Amino acid sequence: AQKITQTQPGMFVQEKEAVTLDCTYDTSDPSYGLFWYKQPSSGEMIFLIYQGSYDQQNATEGRYSLNFQKARKSANLVISASQLGDSAMYFCAMTYNNAGNMLTFGGGTRLMVKP
Amino acid sequence: GAGVSQSPSNKVTEKGKDVELRCDPISGHTALYWYRQRLGQGLEFLIYFQGNSAPDKSGLPSDRFSAERTGESVSTLTIQRTQQEDSAVYLCASSLNPGFYGELFFGEGSRLTVL
């Protein structure tokens, strides 16, 4: 069975600093995709970044980058230059081959950015 | 509208009543997903539609839950004889392609409270 683990239920970061949100996963399927979503207090899930299991380079999208360490089965999200608007829940998720794009989600990390 | 639309945004019901939750996906998106999010938790997969058929119903928690999709568009999630443990936010998502790398676009959810 596929499993996603986020070990940090809550984190604080000072505005303008970088922060790393941890995510580890477990799968026996060699072909999978890893996602990060942001959920602000409004409740909507906002796609941030995607990493494929065969991608050689770490994914980057603006201030977001994914630190993909395949051997360790980790896919940590790095947010650079934190902003107050980054305060939200962050979910790591995974899909795997033949899953019909079904996402399996971790339990989430609540990030709070301090001014 | 341009995004995934869900209604009602909030629903309060009495234990034992039936409820219907509606999802309007992004036009042209063939894949549609329902997830449940209990307070402070991650997302639980419920059901996935490809067109009007549901190849994966594995996440439906009991036979009180059912879903249908018509015209490759609107989907309805029905919960019969609601219980207090059904209280959650029900999120709908759609995707242009059901394949591996397709990004999911989420609605803002329907918050269900069962008294």
mmCIF file of all heavy atoms in Angstrom, chain A residues 31-33 35 37 39 42-45 47 50 52 54 91 95-97 100-107, chain B residues 33 35 37 40-45 48 56 58 91 95 97-109:
data_model
loop_
_atom_site.group_PDB
_atom_site.id
_atom_site.type_symbol
_atom_site.label_atom_id
_atom_site.label_comp_id
_atom_site.label_asym_id
_atom_site.label_seq_id
_atom_site.Cartn_x
_atom_site.Cartn_y
_atom_site.Cartn_z
ATOM 1 N N SER A 31 7.191 3.706 -10.603
ATOM 2 C CA SER A 31 6.684 4.849 -11.343
ATOM 3 C C SER A 31 5.636 5.567 -10.497
ATOM 4 O O SER A 31 4.574 5.015 -10.223
ATOM 5 C CB SER A 31 6.072 4.377 -12.667
ATOM 6 O OG SER A 31 5.656 5.452 -13.436
ATOM 7 N N TYR A 32 5.946 6.772 -10.101
ATOM 8 C CA TYR A 32 5.024 7.511 -9.239
ATOM 9 C C TYR A 32 5.263 9.004 -9.394
ATOM 10 O O TYR A 32 6.262 9.441 -9.967
ATOM 11 C CB TYR A 32 5.172 7.095 -7.768
ATOM 12 C CG TYR A 32 6.589 7.145 -7.231
ATOM 13 C CD1 TYR A 32 7.097 8.313 -6.674
ATOM 14 C CD2 TYR A 32 7.408 6.023 -7.288
ATOM 15 C CE1 TYR A 32 8.390 8.364 -6.195
ATOM 16 C CE2 TYR A 32 8.702 6.065 -6.809
ATOM 17 C CZ TYR A 32 9.194 7.232 -6.260
ATOM 18 O OH TYR A 32 10.477 7.277 -5.788
ATOM 19 N N GLY A 33 4.323 9.769 -8.898
ATOM 20 C CA GLY A 33 4.442 11.218 -8.922
ATOM 21 C C GLY A 33 4.210 11.789 -7.543
ATOM 22 O O GLY A 33 3.413 11.255 -6.778
ATOM 23 N N PHE A 35 3.410 15.352 -5.276
ATOM 24 C CA PHE A 35 2.795 16.670 -5.382
ATOM 25 C C PHE A 35 2.828 17.359 -4.020
ATOM 26 O O PHE A 35 2.795 16.708 -2.979
ATOM 27 C CB PHE A 35 1.314 16.548 -5.782
ATOM 28 C CG PHE A 35 1.064 15.886 -7.108
ATOM 29 C CD1 PHE A 35 1.161 14.516 -7.255
ATOM 30 C CD2 PHE A 35 0.680 16.641 -8.206
ATOM 31 C CE1 PHE A 35 0.910 13.904 -8.475
ATOM 32 C CE2 PHE A 35 0.416 16.040 -9.427
ATOM 33 C CZ PHE A 35 0.537 14.671 -9.563
ATOM 34 N N TYR A 37 0.468 20.470 -2.227
ATOM 35 C CA TYR A 37 -0.680 21.357 -2.315
ATOM 36 C C TYR A 37 -0.701 22.257 -1.086
ATOM 37 O O TYR A 37 -0.336 21.847 0.016
ATOM 38 C CB TYR A 37 -1.994 20.566 -2.369
ATOM 39 C CG TYR A 37 -2.336 20.005 -3.726
ATOM 40 C CD1 TYR A 37 -1.787 18.800 -4.156
ATOM 41 C CD2 TYR A 37 -3.214 20.666 -4.579
ATOM 42 C CE1 TYR A 37 -2.096 18.281 -5.401
ATOM 43 C CE2 TYR A 37 -3.540 20.151 -5.827
ATOM 44 C CZ TYR A 37 -2.978 18.957 -6.230
ATOM 45 O OH TYR A 37 -3.289 18.452 -7.462
ATOM 46 N N GLN A 39 -3.262 24.613 1.290
ATOM 47 C CA GLN A 39 -4.668 24.817 1.629
ATOM 48 C C GLN A 39 -4.779 25.989 2.600
ATOM 49 O O GLN A 39 -4.585 25.847 3.802
ATOM 50 C CB GLN A 39 -5.282 23.549 2.241
ATOM 51 C CG GLN A 39 -6.781 23.672 2.444
ATOM 52 C CD GLN A 39 -7.410 22.409 3.015
ATOM 53 O OE1 GLN A 39 -6.860 21.792 3.927
ATOM 54 N NE2 GLN A 39 -8.544 22.006 2.468
ATOM 55 N N SER A 42 -9.358 29.418 3.445
ATOM 56 C CA SER A 42 -10.552 29.355 2.596
ATOM 57 C C SER A 42 -10.936 27.926 2.247
ATOM 58 O O SER A 42 -12.069 27.655 1.851
ATOM 59 C CB SER A 42 -10.327 30.150 1.306
ATOM 60 O OG SER A 42 -9.251 29.594 0.566
ATOM 61 N N GLY A 43 -10.000 27.003 2.366
ATOM 62 C CA GLY A 43 -10.302 25.598 2.161
ATOM 63 C C GLY A 43 -9.927 25.036 0.799
ATOM 64 O O GLY A 43 -9.857 23.817 0.638
ATOM 65 N N GLU A 44 -9.690 25.899 -0.166
ATOM 66 C CA GLU A 44 -9.371 25.403 -1.501
ATOM 67 C C GLU A 44 -7.968 24.801 -1.532
ATOM 68 O O GLU A 44 -7.065 25.277 -0.875
ATOM 69 C CB GLU A 44 -9.467 26.540 -2.513
ATOM 70 C CG GLU A 44 -9.340 26.101 -3.953
ATOM 71 C CD GLU A 44 -9.562 27.243 -4.930
ATOM 72 O OE1 GLU A 44 -9.811 28.379 -4.471
ATOM 73 O OE2 GLU A 44 -9.507 26.996 -6.135
ATOM 74 N N MET A 45 -7.804 23.741 -2.276
ATOM 75 C CA MET A 45 -6.498 23.101 -2.447
ATOM 76 C C MET A 45 -5.813 23.723 -3.655
ATOM 77 O O MET A 45 -6.351 23.701 -4.759
ATOM 78 C CB MET A 45 -6.656 21.601 -2.668
ATOM 79 C CG MET A 45 -7.271 20.871 -1.496
ATOM 80 S SD MET A 45 -6.153 20.756 -0.099
ATOM 81 C CE MET A 45 -5.055 19.467 -0.671
ATOM 82 N N PHE A 47 -2.526 23.712 -6.104
ATOM 83 C CA PHE A 47 -1.356 22.952 -6.555
ATOM 84 C C PHE A 47 -0.119 23.841 -6.534
ATOM 85 O O PHE A 47 -0.146 24.972 -7.004
ATOM 86 C CB PHE A 47 -1.609 22.434 -7.969
ATOM 87 C CG PHE A 47 -0.389 21.910 -8.660
ATOM 88 C CD1 PHE A 47 0.119 20.668 -8.341
ATOM 89 C CD2 PHE A 47 0.246 22.662 -9.627
ATOM 90 C CE1 PHE A 47 1.245 20.172 -8.978
ATOM 91 C CE2 PHE A 47 1.375 22.184 -10.275
ATOM 92 C CZ PHE A 47 1.869 20.935 -9.952
ATOM 93 N N TYR A 50 5.196 19.657 -8.688
ATOM 94 C CA TYR A 50 5.124 18.238 -9.025
ATOM 95 C C TYR A 50 6.529 17.697 -9.309
ATOM 96 O O TYR A 50 7.363 18.381 -9.916
ATOM 97 C CB TYR A 50 4.243 18.038 -10.259
ATOM 98 C CG TYR A 50 4.377 16.679 -10.884
ATOM 99 C CD1 TYR A 50 3.683 15.597 -10.354
ATOM 100 C CD2 TYR A 50 5.213 16.460 -11.971
ATOM 101 C CE1 TYR A 50 3.815 14.337 -10.905
ATOM 102 C CE2 TYR A 50 5.357 15.209 -12.522
ATOM 103 C CZ TYR A 50 4.651 14.150 -11.992
ATOM 104 O OH TYR A 50 4.798 12.902 -12.532
ATOM 105 N N GLY A 52 8.187 13.945 -10.753
ATOM 106 C CA GLY A 52 8.022 12.581 -11.214
ATOM 107 C C GLY A 52 9.160 11.702 -10.734
ATOM 108 O O GLY A 52 10.293 12.173 -10.565
ATOM 109 N N TYR A 54 10.928 9.627 -12.182
ATOM 110 C CA TYR A 54 12.040 9.465 -13.103
ATOM 111 C C TYR A 54 12.719 10.786 -13.449
ATOM 112 O O TYR A 54 13.675 10.808 -14.232
ATOM 113 C CB TYR A 54 11.564 8.777 -14.390
ATOM 114 C CG TYR A 54 11.106 7.357 -14.165
ATOM 115 C CD1 TYR A 54 9.785 6.985 -14.431
ATOM 116 C CD2 TYR A 54 11.965 6.390 -13.672
ATOM 117 C CE1 TYR A 54 9.361 5.678 -14.227
ATOM 118 C CE2 TYR A 54 11.544 5.082 -13.460
ATOM 119 C CZ TYR A 54 10.240 4.735 -13.743
ATOM 120 O OH TYR A 54 9.817 3.449 -13.538
ATOM 121 N N PHE A 91 0.046 20.077 2.124
ATOM 122 C CA PHE A 91 -0.127 18.631 2.001
ATOM 123 C C PHE A 91 0.796 18.070 0.928
ATOM 124 O O PHE A 91 0.856 18.587 -0.188
ATOM 125 C CB PHE A 91 -1.576 18.283 1.642
ATOM 126 C CG PHE A 91 -2.554 18.556 2.745
ATOM 127 C CD1 PHE A 91 -3.290 19.734 2.765
ATOM 128 C CD2 PHE A 91 -2.745 17.634 3.765
ATOM 129 C CE1 PHE A 91 -4.205 19.983 3.775
ATOM 130 C CE2 PHE A 91 -3.652 17.880 4.780
ATOM 131 C CZ PHE A 91 -4.380 19.062 4.789
ATOM 132 N N THR A 95 0.809 9.989 -6.348
ATOM 133 C CA THR A 95 0.060 9.098 -7.208
ATOM 134 C C THR A 95 1.042 8.116 -7.810
ATOM 135 O O THR A 95 2.232 8.391 -7.887
ATOM 136 C CB THR A 95 -0.711 9.859 -8.295
ATOM 137 O OG1 THR A 95 -1.541 8.949 -9.001
ATOM 138 C CG2 THR A 95 0.227 10.524 -9.276
ATOM 139 N N TYR A 96 0.563 6.975 -8.211
ATOM 140 C CA TYR A 96 1.457 5.946 -8.704
ATOM 141 C C TYR A 96 0.850 5.299 -9.925
ATOM 142 O O TYR A 96 -0.319 5.536 -10.247
ATOM 143 C CB TYR A 96 1.754 4.906 -7.615
ATOM 144 C CG TYR A 96 0.525 4.330 -6.968
ATOM 145 C CD1 TYR A 96 -0.043 3.149 -7.411
ATOM 146 C CD2 TYR A 96 -0.100 5.010 -5.925
ATOM 147 C CE1 TYR A 96 -1.193 2.645 -6.839
ATOM 148 C CE2 TYR A 96 -1.242 4.511 -5.338
ATOM 149 C CZ TYR A 96 -1.784 3.334 -5.799
ATOM 150 O OH TYR A 96 -2.919 2.849 -5.225
ATOM 151 N N ASN A 97 1.623 4.503 -10.592
ATOM 152 C CA ASN A 97 1.227 3.940 -11.870
ATOM 153 C C ASN A 97 -0.099 3.216 -11.761
ATOM 154 O O ASN A 97 -0.351 2.474 -10.823
ATOM 155 C CB ASN A 97 2.308 2.967 -12.341
ATOM 156 C CG ASN A 97 2.245 2.765 -13.828
ATOM 157 O OD1 ASN A 97 1.710 3.596 -14.552
ATOM 158 N ND2 ASN A 97 2.783 1.655 -14.288
ATOM 159 N N GLY A 100 -5.027 5.862 -11.723
ATOM 160 C CA GLY A 100 -6.083 6.730 -12.232
ATOM 161 C C GLY A 100 -5.973 8.129 -11.715
ATOM 162 O O GLY A 100 -6.963 8.826 -11.574
ATOM 163 N N ASN A 101 -4.761 8.534 -11.426
ATOM 164 C CA ASN A 101 -4.493 9.867 -10.921
ATOM 165 C C ASN A 101 -5.085 10.089 -9.542
ATOM 166 O O ASN A 101 -5.273 11.210 -9.113
ATOM 167 C CB ASN A 101 -5.008 10.945 -11.876
ATOM 168 C CG ASN A 101 -4.202 12.222 -11.776
ATOM 169 O OD1 ASN A 101 -3.063 12.201 -11.356
ATOM 170 N ND2 ASN A 101 -4.798 13.323 -12.144
ATOM 171 N N MET A 102 -5.401 9.019 -8.827
ATOM 172 C CA MET A 102 -5.846 9.156 -7.451
ATOM 173 C C MET A 102 -4.666 9.592 -6.602
ATOM 174 O O MET A 102 -3.600 8.996 -6.652
ATOM 175 C CB MET A 102 -6.378 7.829 -6.928
ATOM 176 C CG MET A 102 -6.889 7.911 -5.517
ATOM 177 S SD MET A 102 -7.195 6.291 -4.813
ATOM 178 C CE MET A 102 -5.593 5.923 -4.121
ATOM 179 N N LEU A 103 -4.868 10.646 -5.854
ATOM 180 C CA LEU A 103 -3.829 11.149 -4.969
ATOM 181 C C LEU A 103 -4.000 10.587 -3.569
ATOM 182 O O LEU A 103 -5.100 10.607 -3.033
ATOM 183 C CB LEU A 103 -3.877 12.677 -4.897
ATOM 184 C CG LEU A 103 -3.385 13.461 -6.113
ATOM 185 C CD1 LEU A 103 -3.656 14.935 -5.918
ATOM 186 C CD2 LEU A 103 -1.916 13.217 -6.339
ATOM 187 N N THR A 104 -2.920 10.097 -3.000
ATOM 188 C CA THR A 104 -2.892 9.712 -1.589
ATOM 189 C C THR A 104 -2.196 10.835 -0.840
ATOM 190 O O THR A 104 -1.075 11.205 -1.177
ATOM 191 C CB THR A 104 -2.130 8.398 -1.394
ATOM 192 O OG1 THR A 104 -2.782 7.378 -2.144
ATOM 193 C CG2 THR A 104 -2.102 8.005 0.067
ATOM 194 N N PHE A 105 -2.862 11.362 0.185
ATOM 195 C CA PHE A 105 -2.368 12.540 0.881
ATOM 196 C C PHE A 105 -1.742 12.201 2.227
ATOM 197 O O PHE A 105 -2.170 11.260 2.909
ATOM 198 C CB PHE A 105 -3.514 13.527 1.130
ATOM 199 C CG PHE A 105 -3.928 14.301 -0.083
ATOM 200 C CD1 PHE A 105 -4.815 13.756 -0.999
ATOM 201 C CD2 PHE A 105 -3.433 15.565 -0.319
ATOM 202 C CE1 PHE A 105 -5.205 14.465 -2.127
ATOM 203 C CE2 PHE A 105 -3.813 16.290 -1.439
ATOM 204 C CZ PHE A 105 -4.694 15.730 -2.345
ATOM 205 N N GLY A 106 -0.757 13.012 2.610
ATOM 206 C CA GLY A 106 -0.251 12.978 3.971
ATOM 207 C C GLY A 106 -1.178 13.751 4.891
ATOM 208 O O GLY A 106 -2.169 14.341 4.445
ATOM 209 N N GLY A 107 -0.849 13.765 6.176
ATOM 210 C CA GLY A 107 -1.701 14.407 7.164
ATOM 211 C C GLY A 107 -1.583 15.918 7.211
ATOM 212 O O GLY A 107 -2.396 16.581 7.866
ATOM 213 N N TYR B 33 -13.072 13.620 -9.068
ATOM 214 C CA TYR B 33 -12.718 12.925 -7.830
ATOM 215 C C TYR B 33 -13.460 13.547 -6.657
ATOM 216 O O TYR B 33 -13.651 14.755 -6.608
ATOM 217 C CB TYR B 33 -11.214 13.054 -7.543
ATOM 218 C CG TYR B 33 -10.336 12.611 -8.676
ATOM 219 C CD1 TYR B 33 -10.104 13.448 -9.761
ATOM 220 C CD2 TYR B 33 -9.750 11.356 -8.671
ATOM 221 C CE1 TYR B 33 -9.310 13.039 -10.819
ATOM 222 C CE2 TYR B 33 -8.946 10.949 -9.723
ATOM 223 C CZ TYR B 33 -8.734 11.795 -10.792
ATOM 224 O OH TYR B 33 -7.950 11.389 -11.832
ATOM 225 N N TYR B 35 -13.158 13.685 -2.440
ATOM 226 C CA TYR B 35 -12.355 13.435 -1.253
ATOM 227 C C TYR B 35 -13.109 13.929 -0.029
ATOM 228 O O TYR B 35 -13.948 14.829 -0.120
ATOM 229 C CB TYR B 35 -11.015 14.186 -1.321
ATOM 230 C CG TYR B 35 -9.997 13.591 -2.252
ATOM 231 C CD1 TYR B 35 -9.997 13.894 -3.604
ATOM 232 C CD2 TYR B 35 -9.018 12.729 -1.773
ATOM 233 C CE1 TYR B 35 -9.061 13.343 -4.457
ATOM 234 C CE2 TYR B 35 -8.068 12.172 -2.620
ATOM 235 C CZ TYR B 35 -8.094 12.488 -3.957
ATOM 236 O OH TYR B 35 -7.154 11.931 -4.789
ATOM 237 N N GLN B 37 -12.424 15.372 3.953
ATOM 238 C CA GLN B 37 -11.410 15.902 4.870
ATOM 239 C C GLN B 37 -12.042 16.183 6.220
ATOM 240 O O GLN B 37 -12.838 17.126 6.366
ATOM 241 C CB GLN B 37 -10.769 17.178 4.312
ATOM 242 C CG GLN B 37 -9.616 17.687 5.171
ATOM 243 C CD GLN B 37 -8.938 18.912 4.587
ATOM 244 O OE1 GLN B 37 -9.548 19.688 3.859
ATOM 245 N NE2 GLN B 37 -7.663 19.091 4.888
ATOM 246 N N GLY B 40 -8.886 18.979 10.743
ATOM 247 C CA GLY B 40 -7.489 18.849 11.127
ATOM 248 C C GLY B 40 -6.759 17.668 10.526
ATOM 249 O O GLY B 40 -5.637 17.357 10.930
ATOM 250 N N GLN B 41 -7.391 17.022 9.546
ATOM 251 C CA GLN B 41 -6.772 15.844 8.964
ATOM 252 C C GLN B 41 -6.515 16.028 7.476
ATOM 253 O O GLN B 41 -6.912 17.022 6.875
ATOM 254 C CB GLN B 41 -7.661 14.614 9.208
ATOM 255 C CG GLN B 41 -7.850 14.292 10.690
ATOM 256 C CD GLN B 41 -8.635 13.027 10.908
ATOM 257 O OE1 GLN B 41 -8.746 12.179 10.017
ATOM 258 N NE2 GLN B 41 -9.179 12.872 12.100
ATOM 259 N N GLY B 42 -5.845 15.047 6.884
ATOM 260 C CA GLY B 42 -5.601 15.057 5.451
ATOM 261 C C GLY B 42 -6.816 14.613 4.673
ATOM 262 O O GLY B 42 -7.911 14.443 5.219
ATOM 263 N N LEU B 43 -6.646 14.446 3.395
ATOM 264 C CA LEU B 43 -7.752 14.103 2.514
ATOM 265 C C LEU B 43 -7.860 12.593 2.331
ATOM 266 O O LEU B 43 -6.864 11.922 2.077
ATOM 267 C CB LEU B 43 -7.570 14.757 1.141
ATOM 268 C CG LEU B 43 -8.009 16.206 1.014
ATOM 269 C CD1 LEU B 43 -7.119 17.144 1.804
ATOM 270 C CD2 LEU B 43 -8.064 16.616 -0.451
ATOM 271 N N GLU B 44 -9.083 12.086 2.444
ATOM 272 C CA GLU B 44 -9.356 10.670 2.201
ATOM 273 C C GLU B 44 -10.034 10.533 0.836
ATOM 274 O O GLU B 44 -11.058 11.177 0.588
ATOM 275 C CB GLU B 44 -10.332 10.110 3.232
ATOM 276 C CG GLU B 44 -9.933 10.188 4.675
ATOM 277 C CD GLU B 44 -11.111 9.760 5.535
ATOM 278 O OE1 GLU B 44 -11.489 8.559 5.482
ATOM 279 O OE2 GLU B 44 -11.677 10.629 6.239
ATOM 280 N N PHE B 45 -9.488 9.686 -0.006
ATOM 281 C CA PHE B 45 -10.090 9.435 -1.307
ATOM 282 C C PHE B 45 -11.414 8.689 -1.139
ATOM 283 O O PHE B 45 -11.505 7.731 -0.386
ATOM 284 C CB PHE B 45 -9.126 8.610 -2.156
ATOM 285 C CG PHE B 45 -9.723 8.070 -3.419
ATOM 286 C CD1 PHE B 45 -9.915 8.898 -4.510
ATOM 287 C CD2 PHE B 45 -10.089 6.742 -3.523
ATOM 288 C CE1 PHE B 45 -10.467 8.405 -5.684
ATOM 289 C CE2 PHE B 45 -10.629 6.234 -4.672
ATOM 290 C CZ PHE B 45 -10.820 7.070 -5.768
ATOM 291 N N TYR B 48 -13.667 8.004 -7.779
ATOM 292 C CA TYR B 48 -13.091 8.603 -8.978
ATOM 293 C C TYR B 48 -13.984 8.258 -10.173
ATOM 294 O O TYR B 48 -14.416 7.119 -10.321
ATOM 295 C CB TYR B 48 -11.684 8.057 -9.153
ATOM 296 C CG TYR B 48 -11.147 7.968 -10.556
ATOM 297 C CD1 TYR B 48 -10.966 9.111 -11.329
ATOM 298 C CD2 TYR B 48 -10.787 6.739 -11.101
ATOM 299 C CE1 TYR B 48 -10.457 9.022 -12.610
ATOM 300 C CE2 TYR B 48 -10.269 6.642 -12.382
ATOM 301 C CZ TYR B 48 -10.102 7.786 -13.136
ATOM 302 O OH TYR B 48 -9.596 7.697 -14.401
ATOM 303 N N ASP B 56 -13.125 3.301 -9.873
ATOM 304 C CA ASP B 56 -12.574 3.090 -8.542
ATOM 305 C C ASP B 56 -13.528 3.655 -7.495
ATOM 306 O O ASP B 56 -13.639 4.867 -7.335
ATOM 307 C CB ASP B 56 -11.193 3.750 -8.419
ATOM 308 C CG ASP B 56 -10.465 3.347 -7.141
ATOM 309 O OD1 ASP B 56 -11.111 2.792 -6.228
ATOM 310 O OD2 ASP B 56 -9.258 3.595 -7.062
ATOM 311 N N SER B 58 -13.302 2.395 -4.342
ATOM 312 C CA SER B 58 -12.739 1.716 -3.177
ATOM 313 C C SER B 58 -12.789 2.545 -1.903
ATOM 314 O O SER B 58 -12.756 2.005 -0.804
ATOM 315 C CB SER B 58 -11.288 1.321 -3.463
ATOM 316 O OG SER B 58 -10.502 2.484 -3.695
ATOM 317 N N LEU B 91 -14.533 17.466 -0.609
ATOM 318 C CA LEU B 91 -13.862 18.197 -1.681
ATOM 319 C C LEU B 91 -13.999 17.443 -2.992
ATOM 320 O O LEU B 91 -13.833 16.223 -3.049
ATOM 321 C CB LEU B 91 -12.379 18.369 -1.354
ATOM 322 C CG LEU B 91 -12.057 19.377 -0.242
ATOM 323 C CD1 LEU B 91 -10.673 19.125 0.315
ATOM 324 C CD2 LEU B 91 -12.147 20.787 -0.774
ATOM 325 N N SER B 95 -9.841 16.841 -13.425
ATOM 326 C CA SER B 95 -8.579 16.794 -14.148
ATOM 327 C C SER B 95 -8.852 16.627 -15.623
ATOM 328 O O SER B 95 -9.753 15.875 -16.022
ATOM 329 C CB SER B 95 -7.729 15.633 -13.621
ATOM 330 O OG SER B 95 -6.534 15.504 -14.354
ATOM 331 N N ASN B 97 -6.865 15.260 -17.844
ATOM 332 C CA ASN B 97 -6.445 13.932 -18.249
ATOM 333 C C ASN B 97 -6.410 13.030 -17.035
ATOM 334 O O ASN B 97 -5.906 13.420 -15.993
ATOM 335 C CB ASN B 97 -5.048 13.964 -18.876
ATOM 336 C CG ASN B 97 -5.015 14.776 -20.147
ATOM 337 O OD1 ASN B 97 -5.799 14.539 -21.052
ATOM 338 N ND2 ASN B 97 -4.130 15.742 -20.214
ATOM 339 N N PRO B 98 -6.909 11.824 -17.162
ATOM 340 C CA PRO B 98 -6.883 10.913 -16.022
ATOM 341 C C PRO B 98 -5.524 10.282 -15.818
ATOM 342 O O PRO B 98 -5.336 9.501 -14.926
ATOM 343 C CB PRO B 98 -7.918 9.850 -16.401
ATOM 344 C CG PRO B 98 -7.863 9.814 -17.886
ATOM 345 C CD PRO B 98 -7.594 11.235 -18.324
ATOM 346 N N GLY B 99 -4.612 10.606 -16.665
ATOM 347 C CA GLY B 99 -3.321 9.966 -16.612
ATOM 348 C C GLY B 99 -2.471 10.404 -15.452
ATOM 349 O O GLY B 99 -2.870 11.169 -14.594
ATOM 350 N N PHE B 100 -1.318 9.928 -15.449
ATOM 351 C CA PHE B 100 -0.405 9.972 -14.330
ATOM 352 C C PHE B 100 -0.009 11.375 -13.904
ATOM 353 O O PHE B 100 0.112 11.680 -12.727
ATOM 354 C CB PHE B 100 0.820 9.180 -14.742
ATOM 355 C CG PHE B 100 1.729 8.844 -13.632
ATOM 356 C CD1 PHE B 100 1.341 7.989 -12.639
ATOM 357 C CD2 PHE B 100 2.988 9.385 -13.591
ATOM 358 C CE1 PHE B 100 2.194 7.666 -11.615
ATOM 359 C CE2 PHE B 100 3.849 9.065 -12.566
ATOM 360 C CZ PHE B 100 3.458 8.205 -11.580
ATOM 361 N N TYR B 101 0.195 12.256 -14.876
ATOM 362 C CA TYR B 101 0.779 13.556 -14.557
ATOM 363 C C TYR B 101 -0.234 14.678 -14.540
ATOM 364 O O TYR B 101 0.131 15.831 -14.435
ATOM 365 C CB TYR B 101 1.882 13.900 -15.566
ATOM 366 C CG TYR B 101 2.971 12.858 -15.581
ATOM 367 C CD1 TYR B 101 3.049 11.926 -16.592
ATOM 368 C CD2 TYR B 101 3.916 12.813 -14.558
ATOM 369 C CE1 TYR B 101 4.042 10.979 -16.605
ATOM 370 C CE2 TYR B 101 4.914 11.859 -14.559
ATOM 371 C CZ TYR B 101 4.972 10.938 -15.590
ATOM 372 O OH TYR B 101 5.958 9.995 -15.592
ATOM 373 N N GLY B 102 -1.516 14.327 -14.638
ATOM 374 C CA GLY B 102 -2.507 15.379 -14.695
ATOM 375 C C GLY B 102 -2.704 16.059 -13.365
ATOM 376 O O GLY B 102 -2.886 15.417 -12.349
ATOM 377 N N GLU B 103 -2.678 17.372 -13.381
ATOM 378 C CA GLU B 103 -2.889 18.140 -12.165
ATOM 379 C C GLU B 103 -4.365 18.130 -11.809
ATOM 380 O O GLU B 103 -5.228 18.247 -12.669
ATOM 381 C CB GLU B 103 -2.437 19.571 -12.388
ATOM 382 C CG GLU B 103 -2.687 20.503 -11.202
ATOM 383 C CD GLU B 103 -2.401 21.938 -11.553
ATOM 384 O OE1 GLU B 103 -1.694 22.185 -12.539
ATOM 385 O OE2 GLU B 103 -2.896 22.828 -10.838
ATOM 386 N N LEU B 104 -4.661 17.981 -10.535
ATOM 387 C CA LEU B 104 -6.037 18.054 -10.055
ATOM 388 C C LEU B 104 -6.367 19.482 -9.657
ATOM 389 O O LEU B 104 -5.577 20.150 -8.995
ATOM 390 C CB LEU B 104 -6.237 17.135 -8.847
ATOM 391 C CG LEU B 104 -6.741 15.725 -9.126
ATOM 392 C CD1 LEU B 104 -5.773 14.960 -9.987
ATOM 393 C CD2 LEU B 104 -7.028 14.997 -7.835
ATOM 394 N N PHE B 105 -7.547 19.932 -10.035
ATOM 395 C CA PHE B 105 -8.049 21.241 -9.648
ATOM 396 C C PHE B 105 -9.195 21.024 -8.675
ATOM 397 O O PHE B 105 -10.174 20.365 -8.995
ATOM 398 C CB PHE B 105 -8.529 22.013 -10.881
ATOM 399 C CG PHE B 105 -7.436 22.352 -11.846
ATOM 400 C CD1 PHE B 105 -7.014 21.447 -12.801
ATOM 401 C CD2 PHE B 105 -6.823 23.594 -11.799
ATOM 402 C CE1 PHE B 105 -5.996 21.755 -13.686
ATOM 403 C CE2 PHE B 105 -5.809 23.919 -12.687
ATOM 404 C CZ PHE B 105 -5.398 22.991 -13.630
ATOM 405 N N PHE B 106 -9.077 21.614 -7.505
ATOM 406 C CA PHE B 106 -10.039 21.382 -6.437
ATOM 407 C C PHE B 106 -11.046 22.519 -6.329
ATOM 408 O O PHE B 106 -10.728 23.689 -6.575
ATOM 409 C CB PHE B 106 -9.320 21.254 -5.093
ATOM 410 C CG PHE B 106 -8.640 19.934 -4.880
ATOM 411 C CD1 PHE B 106 -7.373 19.706 -5.381
ATOM 412 C CD2 PHE B 106 -9.274 18.918 -4.175
ATOM 413 C CE1 PHE B 106 -6.742 18.483 -5.184
ATOM 414 C CE2 PHE B 106 -8.654 17.705 -3.970
ATOM 415 C CZ PHE B 106 -7.381 17.484 -4.477
ATOM 416 N N GLY B 107 -12.263 22.165 -5.909
ATOM 417 C CA GLY B 107 -13.238 23.156 -5.490
ATOM 418 C C GLY B 107 -12.985 23.551 -4.051
ATOM 419 O O GLY B 107 -12.054 23.055 -3.404
ATOM 420 N N GLU B 108 -13.823 24.443 -3.540
ATOM 421 C CA GLU B 108 -13.639 24.930 -2.175
ATOM 422 C C GLU B 108 -14.317 24.056 -1.133
ATOM 423 O O GLU B 108 -14.182 24.307 0.059
ATOM 424 C CB GLU B 108 -14.120 26.378 -2.060
ATOM 425 C CG GLU B 108 -13.278 27.343 -2.871
ATOM 426 C CD GLU B 108 -13.577 28.791 -2.574
ATOM 427 O OE1 GLU B 108 -14.529 29.073 -1.828
ATOM 428 O OE2 GLU B 108 -12.859 29.665 -3.105
ATOM 429 N N GLY B 109 -15.007 23.048 -1.578
ATOM 430 C CA GLY B 109 -15.555 22.076 -0.653
ATOM 431 C C GLY B 109 -16.954 22.380 -0.167
ATOM 432 O O GLY B 109 -17.427 23.520 -0.232
#
